Structure formats: C-alpha cells, structure tokens
Amino acid sequence: MFVVCGEALFDVFAVARTATGLSLDARVGGSPFNLAVGLARMAQPVSLLTTVSNGFLGERLMQALREEGVGTDTLRRSDAPTTLSLIGTDAAGVPSYAFYGDGGADRLLAPEAVAHLPESTRAICLGSYTTVVGETASSLRALVERHRQRALIAYDPNVRLNVQPDTQVWREQLRWMLPRADLLKVSEEDLALIDGRAPEAFAREALDSGVSLVVVTRGALGAIAWTARHRVEVSAPPVDVVDTVGAGDTFQAALLTWLAERDALGREALAGLSPQSLDAALRFATWAAAITCGRRGADLPRRAELPAA
C-alpha cells in the first residue's frame, strides 16, 4: 500500500460576476490529494494521511476519496476549517491568487497520527506545503524518521510560495530530506527556486546523500532520471495542452505505479534499474502527464488509458 501524506483542500475559482457578488466553482484538490487519487485510478492500493475538517467541505473531501477508492483509515478529523485556495482573474485575464490556510485542518496532523501505519505500507509519499508549515510539518518529519527503514520514502518538494514564501524554508526541508528519501522527484522550476544549480549537479549531490533515484521533470521537454550508475533522458509526447494542473502529480503517480507493477519499490531495486527500465518508466510517466495536460483541471488518467505492464 501507498500512504500519501499532506493537504486536502478546495481550489475555488471565480467564474463570473453576479448582481450581488461572484459565482464560485469549488473543486477538491491539493497535491497529495491528487497523488492519492491518481494512484487509486491506476489500480494501486493507497491511503491518505492527513486531517480533514468535520464541516461540509470536509465531508465533500471524504466523499471524493471514497468514490475514487482512496483509503481513509489513516485520516484524522478536526473541527478546524478546510483550507481554501482562491483563484480569480482581472479584467485583462491575469490570474490572482488568495490562500486561506492558517489554522486549517490539514496543518494539524498530530504526532500520534503518524506513530502507526498499516502493516501493508510499502511506500510513503510526501511533499508540498504541509511539509513546511504547521504541526503537520513536524509530524511528517517524525513519520519519516520512524518508518523509513521499513518503507520506501518518495519525496516531491512541490514548492508553494503562496503558502510559504521563504525559499530558505523550502531549501532547508530539501536538505533534511536528501539523506532520508529513496525516490526524489522535482520539477525543474522548483529546483531553480530552492537550489539554483544545474540538474546534473543537484542529482549528483542527492545520490551522494543516499537517494537511490532522482528524477527532474522538465514540462514539455520531458524528464531526466539518475541513479548512481545511469542517466536517462526522455522527451515528452506531443499533446494539445488544455492546462497543466495536476501534471506533476500525475507523473509521480504513474512513476510509482510503474515501479509497483514491477516490484521495484525498494532502495536496492531503484538503484539497480537498467537504462532500458529507466527509459520505460519515464516514458510511462510522461505519457500519463500528457493525458492530464490534455484535459481541464487535475483529471488524472486511469490505468486502462496507459500502456499495459
């Protein structure tokens, strides 16, 4: 089983002006939420580890998880509010963002919630803003320390400067994770924000720190993967892009699915991947991400839409 850790929230889009205000379209989301849904859609057993509000928005999040087949046994509930990410545009169509997350339920994951995971846990996935804010951040560090010897640790920084604008905080979190992560996936944009070096130099440091597999995604340019022995680069498949929402989460879900289907969710298995296997894994993941880019919003593909194992 995959255990995905982090936020579950609502993205709220300002659709149109009305006579008395605005018409809003609220959609379930959050990077870890999307990753958990993506894994479930790709036929992987997965549970989400977070705190969800007891309010009506929290109930809608719970309904969405159940409908997608994401396990909720690792969830905690709270009377704290659900985090909201508001997106609007001005008269020229330029987007603006407002984030309402202080005191939100997803920042309040208590330490006792991470003490015990299901016995079937094979991989722990974490990233995004709950690794750097609130009680959840310290609890997730405790989770990594407690469980990293028994489960693969997959980390995607997924920087959100509208939540935590201090890049030094993100940089420190990345440095803390390097000797503790087995699989590190990071976008080229995030890497430029919190590291600043060329991907090759960063990958070498990450591998020297103990990471078994480093993957840098490059949007329309594809992706590059490194192990201690090999470097493989693939281009992205052509796609008529509708938007890129959820593309990174899709890539991570597909990469983890490819590894799980080949019983390669282990440090030694990752380190021992051949160039041919790395190429196949990256092509599978970039293909999945391209499908999401061709659809509106974070509509991640199902397993049947992807090549057979």
Side-chain angles (χ1 to χ4, degrees):
M1 173 185 284
F2 290 95
V3 174
V4 179
C5 314
E7 66 265 20
L9 52 78
F10 271 84
D11 290 314
V12 183
F13 299 87
V15 177
R17 294 185 179 185
T18 67
T20 56
L22 293 170
S23 175
L24 302 175
D25 179 15
R27 303 187 182 189
V28 296
S31 177
F33 182 97
N34 292 337
L35 175 57
V37 168
L39 285 165
R41 288 187 176 188
M42 294 182 198
Q44 295 301 312
V46 58
S47 186
L48 184 63
L49 176 60
T50 190
T51 304
V52 172
S53 171
N54 286 320
F56 72 94
L57 292 178
E59 285 301 317
R60 184 64 185 90
L61 288 168
M62 295 295 292
Q63 179 188 359
L65 291 170
R66 295 187 189 105
E67 289 174 348
E68 293 286 358
V70 177
T72 58
D73 289 346
T74 51
L75 279 166
R76 296 294 179 97
R77 305 298 298 273
S78 168
D79 290 332
T82 298
T83 295
L84 301 177
S85 176
L86 274 63
I87 304 101
T89 56
D90 62 17
V94 177
S96 61
Y97 304 90
F99 197 84
Y100 297 88
D102 288 346
D106 56 10
R107 301 189 187 202
L108 303 176
L109 187 68
E112 57 267 23
V114 304
H116 303 287
L117 294 181
E119 287 297 322
S120 59
T121 301
R122 299 176 63 195
I124 298 168
C125 311
L126 67 160
S128 198
Y129 71 78
T130 44
T131 63
V132 295
V133 298
E135 184 180 28
T136 299
S138 57
S139 292
L140 291 182
R141 284 198 174 194
L143 176 144
V144 170
E145 293 285 32
R146 181 184 295 268
H147 298 289
R148 65 191 180 102
Q149 297 303 321
R150 59 167 287 216
L152 178 133
I153 304 296
Y155 175 55
D156 176 4
N158 210 345
V159 177
R160 295 290 181 262
L161 293 182
N162 61 330
V163 182
Q164 173 49 268
D166 188 349
T167 55
Q168 182 59 30
V169 173
W170 293 96
R171 190 173 297 115
E172 290 172 355
Q173 174 65 17
L174 175 62
R175 297 296 167 213
W176 189 87
M177 285 297 304
L178 284 183
R180 297 168 174 85
D182 304 302
L183 189 161
L184 172 59
K185 173 259 180 190
V186 59
S187 71
E188 196 170 42
E189 295 84 356
D190 283 353
L191 193 58
L193 282 172
I194 59 176
D195 187 81
R197 291 176 293 169
E200 296 279 354
F202 169 77
R204 178 49 52 195
E205 180 191 350
L207 293 168
D208 289 344
S209 297
V211 180
S212 294
L213 175 61
V214 180
V215 178
V216 174
T217 57
R218 307 176 67 210
L221 296 178
I224 311 174
W226 294 263
T227 66
R229 299 168 57 195
H230 305 296
R231 176 194 184 278
V232 172
E233 181 174 357
V234 303
S235 58
V239 61
D240 292 327
V241 176
V242 176
D243 65 47
T244 60
V245 177
D249 304 322
T250 304
F251 185 100
Q252 184 79 325
L255 177 61
L256 291 167
T257 295
W258 191 95
L259 294 168
E261 290 181 347
R262 289 153 183 82
D263 198 25
L265 289 175
R267 298 172 186 85
E268 294 78 13
L270 291 179
L273 289 171
S274 68
Q276 294 78 13
S277 293
L278 288 170
D279 182 87
L282 292 184
R283 292 188 185 281
F284 185 83
T286 53
W287 184 266
I291 291 174
T292 297
C293 289
R295 306 200 285 220
R296 179 69 60 194
D299 184 5
L300 284 70
R302 299 185 183 278
R303 185 63 185 86
E305 298 178 75
L306 298 168

